[in-house]
Amino acid sequence: MSVTLGQPPAAYAPDRPRSSSTREALLDAAEQLLVEHGVAGTSTRAIIKAAGANLGAVNYHFGTKEDLVLEVFARRLRPLNQDRISRLNALEAEAQEQPVPLEKLVEAIVRPSVEARETQPGTTMALFRLICRGFQDPNPQLKAFLNKECAEFATRIDSALLRALPWLPPQELVWRERFLFGALNHGLDSWVHFDNLPHPNPEMQPMRPDREGFIHRMVSFIAAGLSAPIA
Amino acid sequence: MSVTLGQPPAAYAPDRPRSSSTREALLDAAEQLLVEHGVAGTSTRAIIKAAGANLGAVNYHFGTKEDLVLEVFARRLRPLNQDRISRLNALEAEAQEQPVPLEKLVEAIVRPSVEARETQPGTTMALFRLICRGFQDPNPQLKAFLNKECAEFATRIDSALLRALPWLPPQELVWRERFLFGALNHGLDSWVHFDNLPHPNPEMQPMRPDREGFIHRMVSFIAAGLSAPIA
DNA sequence: CTTGAATTCATACGAACGTATGAATCACCC
DNA sequence: GGGTGATTCATACGTTCGTATGAATTCAAG
């Protein structure tokens, strides 16, 4: 007897309107827990408990824990990269054939990450740490997904940076970009997670800068690193 | 009847000579797996299988999975920080009251990480990724352990950097150090894990620099970022 | 009010987890 | 070469994991 479950799980019906409140609660709870404990450290049961949902809800709405995880990332990453790309568009339109100044490009990378929680309603501080973690996660499927999601922005920023740093060989830029994103991710993580980062030297106990101060610090560091002289 | 297990587990007899070959095999296997799958994603059974050991061996030699994990980190991190500190000592002795040049300080941070596999017999490339991962791990006990393990080096490098960058307020240095370690960790991870990092733009498909080339690139970027002008 | 789809519920299953136990085996000194 | 402590072994226990199932419930339209 074929059983009609009312509706097949979301994984098999991707066109269904995705607005169930349980669905959103699961995504929110999963996001929070993924930030705190990583993918492998977050169980389906912990998620549904935090969301006040039933165990079957994950299977019903997402089909699989992994599909839920991917959706958690996609929900945040898509608008983030869209924001980055539209900033890039605006900068290039404004510059009219001239290369966009380096600091502006770096800001187009950095600012959307830091500002997301204000432009994207409901986004928590956790977003940054989530994405940082995602890129370091051992799960190859997750990594591939994130790379795909960022591919367009990556090629755009590549060529823009090459135009802003014409004396820099592309091979060098590739490595400096790695340093860039390392600094960005770790810096964001420290900023968001500012609470208890006790410093051995009390005089250096860090203050938490406001959003603009933090963006400025980050942009200065990264822009200086990107335009370092080469051997 | 009190049962004499031959010997109580290592956790309760920390003075025992730690040179069992099974013990080392467990540490090696755990190191490899922790790098690939993270702490929560690595099971005791996977470790003993990779080490060719018995399930009871973990309990016998370390008492607990968590104690094994901490020992994996400690085994690598201790000599690494010792190397960094002795480099710092040499630089400061050579400079005689003068501040040590910035690039030399940065190199004292970077080089031990990159070189460890040659100066420390048996260390695999995995070491870097392991440590990078450890600092991002959600496990608070692990994080506290790593912070403790690095505390001495941290205070030393703090004051040395402040002397090399006298115009930089300590509060600024704190944040730049975060960027520094983010770039270091992520850069090392990319370098070690160089294999398949396909780049959208084929012209930018990165080459893997040799050790010295990589160290130089990293030092340039970081030193430039650290000495960026402040607002 | 009825009906049928959409959703939520309690519950079950097999697998894998971390840990513990006591017997078997090994290595070495007298 | 017999005995003693150190180590390894097979195995078991209780828990938690991800997933699946089918019966209840909710809810909007007829």
Side-chain angles (χ1 to χ4, degrees):
Chain A
M1 313 307 127
S2 91
V3 181
T4 58
L5 263 183
Q7 196 176 51
Y12 313 121
D15 307 320
R16 183 160 55 86
R18 320 207 146 192
S19 53
S20 155
S21 79
T22 303
R23 209 187 118 92
E24 295 304 314
L26 284 174
L27 286 170
D28 291 341
E31 176 172 307
Q32 185 66 37
L33 289 169
L34 287 177
V35 167
E36 289 171 15
H37 306 111
V39 176
T42 302
S43 71
T44 312
R45 285 173 167 83
I47 293 171
I48 61 104
K49 190 176 173 185
N54 183 270
L55 188 50
V58 171
N59 183 34
Y60 179 74
H61 286 285
F62 302 95
T64 268
K65 175 192 171 186
E66 178 144 354
D67 290 327
L68 164 58
V69 170
L70 291 185
E71 182 58 27
V72 167
F73 281 90
R75 184 175 67 145
R76 300 301 187 197
L77 202 49
R78 258 185 307 246
L80 176 67
N81 280 325
Q82 220 125 24
D83 187 10
R84 285 168 163 172
I85 288 172
S86 66
R87 281 175 192 275
L88 213 47
N89 288 336
L91 287 175
E92 290 182 341
E94 182 189 349
Q96 288 170 323
E97 308 304 319
Q98 293 301 108
V100 179
L102 179 62
E103 276 81 6
K104 301 238 176 204
L105 290 178
V106 176
E107 191 175 330
I109 302 173
V110 171
R111 182 175 290 277
S113 300
V114 186
E115 277 185 346
R117 76 184 267 264
E118 295 168 26
T119 62
Q120 239 195 100
T123 306
T124 66
M125 283 284 211
L127 163 62
F128 319 130
R129 301 184 58 211
L130 175 75
I131 293 176
C132 304
R133 256 187 218 310
F135 277 104
Q136 305 246 50
D137 202 87
N139 185 332
Q141 194 167 347
L142 175 57
K143 205 178 288 189
F145 175 81
L146 294 177
N147 276 333
K148 178 172 66 75
E149 205 70 44
C150 293
E152 182 187 353
F153 169 68
T155 62
R156 289 291 308 276
I157 199 68
D158 275 347
S159 57
L161 284 174
L162 280 179
R163 293 192 68 202
L165 301 162
W167 45 272
L168 194 67
Q171 293 285 331
E172 295 291 328
L173 177 63
V174 172
W175 286 102
R176 294 191 178 187
E177 280 181 53
R178 312 274 161 149
F179 304 148
L180 184 169
F181 282 105
L184 172 60
N185 286 349
H186 192 67
L188 270 174
D189 196 61
S190 296
W191 186 63
V192 171
H193 205 202
F194 175 77
D195 357 325
N196 40 8
L197 293 170
H199 204 279
N201 180 347
E203 188 203 350
M204 293 184 63
Q205 188 62 37
M207 297 289 201
R208 175 186 187 136
D210 62 8
R211 175 163 54 84
E212 291 305 316
F214 178 71
I215 291 177
H216 181 264
R217 269 161 239 245
M218 178 103 79
V219 170
S220 305
F221 183 95
I222 291 176
L226 285 177
S227 46
I230 65 178
Chain B
M1 310 302 137
S2 90
V3 181
T4 59
L5 263 182
Q7 195 177 52
Y12 314 120
D15 307 319
R16 182 159 55 87
R18 320 209 144 189
S19 52
S20 155
S21 80
T22 303
R23 208 187 119 92
E24 296 303 315
L26 285 173
L27 288 170
D28 291 340
E31 176 173 306
Q32 185 66 36
L33 289 169
L34 287 176
V35 166
E36 289 171 14
H37 307 111
V39 176
T42 301
S43 71
T44 312
R45 285 173 166 84
I47 294 171
I48 60 105
K49 190 175 172 186
N54 183 269
L55 189 49
V58 171
N59 183 33
Y60 178 74
H61 286 285
F62 301 94
T64 268
K65 175 192 171 186
E66 179 144 354
D67 290 327
L68 164 58
V69 170
L70 291 185
E71 183 57 29
V72 167
F73 281 90
R75 184 175 67 144
R76 299 302 185 197
L77 203 48
R78 261 186 305 247
L80 176 67
N81 280 325
Q82 220 123 25
D83 187 10
R84 285 167 164 173
I85 289 172
S86 65
R87 282 176 190 275
L88 213 48
N89 288 337
L91 287 174
E92 290 181 341
E94 181 188 351
Q96 290 170 323
E97 307 306 316
Q98 294 300 108
V100 179
L102 179 60
E103 275 81 5
K104 301 238 177 204
L105 291 177
V106 176
E107 191 176 330
I109 302 172
V110 171
R111 183 175 290 277
S113 300
V114 186
E115 277 186 346
R117 76 183 265 264
E118 295 168 25
T119 61
Q120 239 196 99
T123 305
T124 67
M125 283 285 210
L127 163 62
F128 319 130
R129 302 185 58 211
L130 176 75
I131 294 175
C132 304
R133 257 190 216 308
F135 277 104
Q136 305 247 50
D137 202 87
N139 185 331
Q141 195 167 346
L142 175 57
K143 205 177 288 188
F145 174 81
L146 294 177
N147 276 333
K148 177 172 67 74
E149 205 71 42
C150 293
E152 183 187 352
F153 169 69
T155 62
R156 290 290 308 277
I157 199 68
D158 276 348
S159 57
L161 284 174
L162 280 178
R163 293 192 68 204
L165 301 162
W167 46 271
L168 194 67
Q171 293 286 332
E172 295 290 328
L173 177 63
V174 173
W175 287 103
R176 293 190 179 188
E177 281 179 309
R178 311 276 160 148
F179 305 147
L180 185 169
F181 283 104
L184 172 60
N185 286 349
H186 192 66
L188 271 174
D189 196 61
S190 296
W191 186 64
V192 171
H193 206 201
F194 175 78
D195 358 325
N196 40 7
L197 290 171
H199 204 280
N201 181 348
E203 189 203 351
M204 294 183 63
Q205 187 62 36
M207 297 288 201
R208 174 182 189 139
D210 62 6
R211 176 163 55 83
E212 292 305 315
F214 178 71
I215 291 177
H216 181 262
R217 269 162 238 245
M218 178 104 80
V219 170
S220 305
F221 183 95
I222 291 176
L226 285 177
S227 47
I230 65 177

